[in-house]
Amino acid sequence: MPNNNPAHIVLKNVRLSYVHLDKPYAGPTGTQDPKYTVTILVPKKIPGNKQAIDAAIAAAAQKAQERYGKAFPARPKVSVHDGDGTRPSDNQPFGDECKGMWVFTASSKQQPDIRDEYGQKLLDMSQVYSGVWAHVGVTFFGYNAPQNKGIGVGIETVMKARDDEPLGGGRANADDDFADIMQQNTAPATIPQTTYAQPAPAGQTIVGYDPNTFAPIYG
């Protein structure tokens, strides 16, 4: 049945980055709580994207304030960033792939429901990679830890939309790595074979072949 939670939205034609959806990811140091995670790049040019995000954030904040009362801040921290600005972690510009995008990371302890372009259950997880375009279902929620309060994002559903250039260079290809060596080493067109086309001696026929040389044995 449809999800009627106002903090849950579907964003269409977004690009995925830092994809860890095949198995839980414990962060770059391996010490974080393992989760399925993905960074979502939302095009600013698509009408309604930012309005939908803002409405979901407002719904999540209201629900958190009702639950936690004054313990939850009136203006919570929200991890949705402007890809044309700078990263809050180091004040350095976002990567080129983030230009013209709203950027946020979504995670879940449970693996999202992932589908292919036709809506079928995705079996080959290599088809969902950093750089692919997809439609995603995400839910915004309030968190209220003693030293960390704000609005987070959970990833629930993913449907592949179309392929694109992998971000981060992708996996190396042997044709590219060894192109110069392949040009120098030309494989022979055919493998020489020993033939025994001579006719059998008069009155004899081939009764077998030598197991070592494959030469015919007459009898």
Side-chain angles (χ1 to χ4, degrees):
M1 73 175 46
N3 190 325
N4 295 320
N5 181 355
H8 177 82
I9 57 174
V10 174
L11 297 170
K12 299 178 180 178
N13 295 305
V14 300
R15 200 173 190 194
L16 307 186
S17 182
Y18 295 101
V19 177
H20 299 282
L21 297 176
D22 57 335
K23 58 184 178 180
Y25 177 60
T29 62
T31 58
Q32 299 177 15
D33 186 16
K35 294 180 180 180
Y36 298 92
T37 66
V38 59
T39 296
I40 299 173
L41 312 181
V42 185
K44 294 180 179 179
K45 65 182 180 180
I46 297 180
N49 273 344
K50 189 59 165 58
Q51 292 91 328
I53 291 172
D54 289 343
I57 290 172
Q62 179 179 349
K63 186 174 182 179
Q65 288 163 359
E66 293 172 354
R67 178 177 180 182
Y68 302 115
K70 293 182 178 180
F72 192 79
R75 300 183 64 181
K77 177 178 66 176
V78 179
S79 299
V80 176
H81 308 294
D82 186 345
D84 293 309
T86 57
R87 296 189 299 259
S89 59
D90 56 11
N91 291 321
Q92 294 300 308
F94 281 96
D96 290 341
E97 72 278 6
C98 298
K99 303 305 180 186
M101 303 283 193
W102 299 108
V103 182
F104 64 87
T105 296
S107 62
S108 175
K109 290 186 177 181
Q110 295 183 329
Q111 187 173 34
D113 185 359
I114 306 175
R115 306 298 180 95
D116 63 17
E117 303 97 312
Y118 310 104
Q120 302 300 312
K121 195 76 173 179
L122 186 67
L123 301 178
D124 181 4
M125 289 301 296
S126 69
Q127 295 298 310
V128 179
Y129 52 88
S130 296
V132 74
W133 291 81
H135 316 301
V136 298
V138 295
T139 298
F140 289 77
F141 61 90
Y143 55 89
N144 195 48
Q147 304 299 325
N148 193 17
K149 305 172 188 291
I151 302 295
V153 192
I155 181 70
E156 297 188 17
T157 58
V158 177
M159 181 177 179
K160 181 177 178 180
R162 61 183 174 87
D163 290 301
D164 201 345
E165 188 73 19
L167 298 176
R171 187 176 176 85
N173 183 291
D175 288 334
D176 297 328
D177 282 354
F178 309 126
D180 57 335
I181 301 175
M182 293 177 182
Q183 291 175 356
Q184 298 173 13
N185 300 340
T186 303
T190 58
I191 300 176
Q193 299 288 335
T194 302
T195 60
Y196 301 93
Q198 63 272 22
Q204 296 186 352
T205 58
I206 297 175
V207 296
Y209 292 88
D210 187 288
N212 296 316
T213 66
F214 298 103
I217 299 174
Y218 302 103

